[in-house]
PDB file of all heavy atoms in Angstrom:
ATOM      1  N   ARG A   2     106.054 -92.853   1.543  1.00  0.00           N
ATOM      2  CA  ARG A   2     104.775 -92.535   2.153  1.00  0.00           C
ATOM      3  C   ARG A   2     104.893 -92.003   3.474  1.00  0.00           C
ATOM      4  O   ARG A   2     105.668 -92.475   4.279  1.00  0.00           O
ATOM      5  CB  ARG A   2     103.930 -93.926   2.215  1.00  0.00           C
ATOM      6  CG  ARG A   2     103.552 -94.459   0.885  1.00  0.00           C
ATOM      7  CD  ARG A   2     102.886 -95.662   0.992  1.00  0.00           C
ATOM      8  NE  ARG A   2     101.537 -95.576   1.597  1.00  0.00           N
ATOM      9  CZ  ARG A   2     100.460 -95.275   0.984  1.00  0.00           C
ATOM     10  NH1 ARG A   2     100.459 -94.993  -0.301  1.00  0.00           N
ATOM     11  NH2 ARG A   2      99.295 -95.286   1.602  1.00  0.00           N
ATOM     12  N   GLY A   6      99.295 -90.339  12.103  1.00  0.00           N
ATOM     13  CA  GLY A   6      98.420 -91.005  13.053  1.00  0.00           C
ATOM     14  C   GLY A   6      97.779 -89.739  13.812  1.00  0.00           C
ATOM     15  O   GLY A   6      98.311 -88.828  14.156  1.00  0.00           O
ATOM     16  N   ALA A  20      89.975 -84.125   9.477  1.00  0.00           N
ATOM     17  CA  ALA A  20      89.297 -83.707   8.273  1.00  0.00           C
ATOM     18  C   ALA A  20      90.010 -82.600   7.611  1.00  0.00           C
ATOM     19  O   ALA A  20      90.146 -82.404   6.368  1.00  0.00           O
ATOM     20  CB  ALA A  20      87.878 -83.127   8.643  1.00  0.00           C
ATOM     21  N   LEU A  22      93.340 -81.976   7.586  1.00  0.00           N
ATOM     22  CA  LEU A  22      94.529 -82.640   7.014  1.00  0.00           C
ATOM     23  C   LEU A  22      94.135 -83.259   5.688  1.00  0.00           C
ATOM     24  O   LEU A  22      94.832 -83.157   4.723  1.00  0.00           O
ATOM     25  CB  LEU A  22      95.218 -83.600   7.907  1.00  0.00           C
ATOM     26  CG  LEU A  22      96.024 -83.071   9.080  1.00  0.00           C
ATOM     27  CD1 LEU A  22      96.364 -84.106  10.107  1.00  0.00           C
ATOM     28  CD2 LEU A  22      97.251 -82.432   8.524  1.00  0.00           C
ATOM     29  N   GLU A  23      92.981 -84.063   5.673  1.00  0.00           N
ATOM     30  CA  GLU A  23      92.614 -84.661   4.488  1.00  0.00           C
ATOM     31  C   GLU A  23      92.269 -83.628   3.442  1.00  0.00           C
ATOM     32  O   GLU A  23      92.570 -83.928   2.261  1.00  0.00           O
ATOM     33  CB  GLU A  23      91.317 -85.617   4.864  1.00  0.00           C
ATOM     34  CG  GLU A  23      91.709 -86.674   5.516  1.00  0.00           C
ATOM     35  CD  GLU A  23      90.400 -87.615   6.145  1.00  0.00           C
ATOM     36  OE1 GLU A  23      89.364 -86.928   6.336  1.00  0.00           O
ATOM     37  OE2 GLU A  23      90.547 -88.746   6.325  1.00  0.00           O
ATOM     38  N   GLY A  41      95.396 -95.438  17.804  1.00  0.00           N
ATOM     39  CA  GLY A  41      94.989 -95.308  19.286  1.00  0.00           C
ATOM     40  C   GLY A  41      95.782 -94.135  19.908  1.00  0.00           C
ATOM     41  O   GLY A  41      96.225 -93.250  19.138  1.00  0.00           O
ATOM     42  N   ALA A  51      97.330 -85.191  18.491  1.00  0.00           N
ATOM     43  CA  ALA A  51      98.616 -85.203  18.026  1.00  0.00           C
ATOM     44  C   ALA A  51      98.783 -86.126  16.754  1.00  0.00           C
ATOM     45  O   ALA A  51      97.826 -86.954  16.521  1.00  0.00           O
ATOM     46  CB  ALA A  51      99.445 -85.777  19.128  1.00  0.00           C
ATOM     47  N   GLU A  60     102.023 -81.803  18.207  1.00  0.00           N
ATOM     48  CA  GLU A  60     100.885 -81.839  19.254  1.00  0.00           C
ATOM     49  C   GLU A  60     100.034 -80.625  19.343  1.00  0.00           C
ATOM     50  O   GLU A  60     100.435 -79.551  18.831  1.00  0.00           O
ATOM     51  CB  GLU A  60     101.567 -82.244  20.617  1.00  0.00           C
ATOM     52  CG  GLU A  60     102.498 -81.296  21.138  1.00  0.00           C
ATOM     53  CD  GLU A  60     103.197 -81.726  22.423  1.00  0.00           C
ATOM     54  OE1 GLU A  60     102.994 -82.914  22.894  1.00  0.00           O
ATOM     55  OE2 GLU A  60     103.891 -80.730  23.105  1.00  0.00           O
ATOM     56  N   ARG A  79     109.987 -79.596   5.506  1.00  0.00           N
ATOM     57  CA  ARG A  79     110.451 -78.789   6.711  1.00  0.00           C
ATOM     58  C   ARG A  79     109.675 -78.979   7.919  1.00  0.00           C
ATOM     59  O   ARG A  79     108.422 -79.028   7.875  1.00  0.00           O
ATOM     60  CB  ARG A  79     110.354 -77.320   6.325  1.00  0.00           C
ATOM     61  CG  ARG A  79     111.236 -76.944   5.266  1.00  0.00           C
ATOM     62  CD  ARG A  79     111.046 -75.362   4.912  1.00  0.00           C
ATOM     63  NE  ARG A  79     111.656 -74.912   3.652  1.00  0.00           N
ATOM     64  CZ  ARG A  79     111.366 -74.020   2.958  1.00  0.00           C
ATOM     65  NH1 ARG A  79     110.386 -73.147   3.402  1.00  0.00           N
ATOM     66  NH2 ARG A  79     111.878 -73.616   1.762  1.00  0.00           N
ATOM     67  N   ASP A  99     112.954 -89.156  20.722  1.00  0.00           N
ATOM     68  CA  ASP A  99     113.687 -88.429  21.614  1.00  0.00           C
ATOM     69  C   ASP A  99     112.926 -87.860  22.830  1.00  0.00           C
ATOM     70  O   ASP A  99     113.489 -87.120  23.646  1.00  0.00           O
ATOM     71  CB  ASP A  99     114.550 -87.365  21.048  1.00  0.00           C
ATOM     72  CG  ASP A  99     115.491 -87.838  19.971  1.00  0.00           C
ATOM     73  OD1 ASP A  99     116.016 -89.007  20.193  1.00  0.00           O
ATOM     74  OD2 ASP A  99     115.764 -87.144  18.930  1.00  0.00           O
ATOM     75  N   MET A 100     111.571 -88.057  22.716  1.00  0.00           N
ATOM     76  CA  MET A 100     110.648 -87.466  23.700  1.00  0.00           C
ATOM     77  C   MET A 100     110.877 -88.308  25.052  1.00  0.00           C
ATOM     78  O   MET A 100     110.917 -89.477  25.067  1.00  0.00           O
ATOM     79  CB  MET A 100     109.257 -87.509  23.295  1.00  0.00           C
ATOM     80  CG  MET A 100     108.866 -86.598  22.115  1.00  0.00           C
ATOM     81  SD  MET A 100     107.296 -86.797  21.462  1.00  0.00           S
ATOM     82  CE  MET A 100     106.253 -86.778  22.973  1.00  0.00           C
TER      83      MET A 100
END
Side-chain angles (χ1 to χ4, degrees):
R2 289 178 69 83
L22 285 166
E23 288 171 336
E60 64 182 8
R79 296 181 191 159
D99 294 333
M100 291 173 54

